[in-house]
Amino acid sequence: MGILDPDRVGEDQNIFQVFEGLFASRRNDQCAQIGLVCWGLWHRRNLWVWEHKNMSMSRLKYMVQSMLQEWKEAQKECYQHMTELQVQVWRKPPPGWVKINVDASCRADKHYVGAGWVIRDEKGGFLRAKTSRIMGRLQAREAEAWSFKEALKWTHSWRAYKCVFELDAKEVVEAINGSNVTSYFHFIIDECKDVL
């Protein structure tokens, strides 16, 4: 089967509609092949325009087939890797407890760190949430630690439940359970321990 079936292309269709129809009716590997053929033709054209080199169609076909094979191998490896990974799924807290998910956000182009907390009950129902911002730039681990500290303070002000905190910052969790070291990061960790 060819990539483009002339009987399925309407006279009033533009190139975007043609490709939309192609991609909608094809498997992923066929879509990759279409994309690689288009890229190969563009590459062949640029070789001629900019370097005055002519690539034969057989060379182009070989290049596209090689790249498609590499793509398929990469997809297999990615799929195998994904099946080996343990997928993390949010779990409800035990009965009588609430779970507080804590996270921080750092962006190099901004001069502040964002933090957010979401609290859900034992059934997974939303209870409350809050966001906060600290001016200045922090490294990711300091931002995560600061976010956790602020979540602890906020929770302490209204807490009527037993709380489970969930963070995606392994280094913060390990530092909470570890020994003291003198750094800004560990100073924040010490404040977290005081609130705990």
Side-chain angles (χ1 to χ4, degrees), residues 159-196:
R159 183 173 67 103
Y161 305 94
K162 298 177 195 172
C163 302
V164 174
F165 288 89
E166 189 170 79
L167 294 83
D168 62 355
K170 183 180 177 190
E171 199 169 357
V172 173
V173 175
E174 288 174 348
I176 291 287
N177 295 317
S179 58
N180 295 342
V181 181
T182 55
S183 72
Y184 181 61
F185 171 70
H186 288 91
F187 174 73
I188 300 170
I189 294 297
D190 286 342
E191 288 186 12
C192 292
K193 288 180 179 180
D194 288 345
V195 178
L196 282 171

Side-chain angles (χ1 to χ4, degrees), residues 90 99-103 116-120 151 164-167:
W90 188 86
K99 182 176 270 189
I100 304 164
N101 289 86
V102 180
D103 204 5
W117 315 285
V118 177
I119 303 174
R120 291 189 270 181
V164 174
F165 288 89
E166 189 170 79
L167 294 83

Side-chain angles (χ1 to χ4, degrees), residues 3 57 104 125-126 138-139 141 174 186 192 196:
I3 290 177
M57 289 305 289
F126 173 82
L138 295 175
Q139 296 296 320
R141 72 180 193 158
E174 288 174 348
H186 288 91
C192 292
L196 282 171

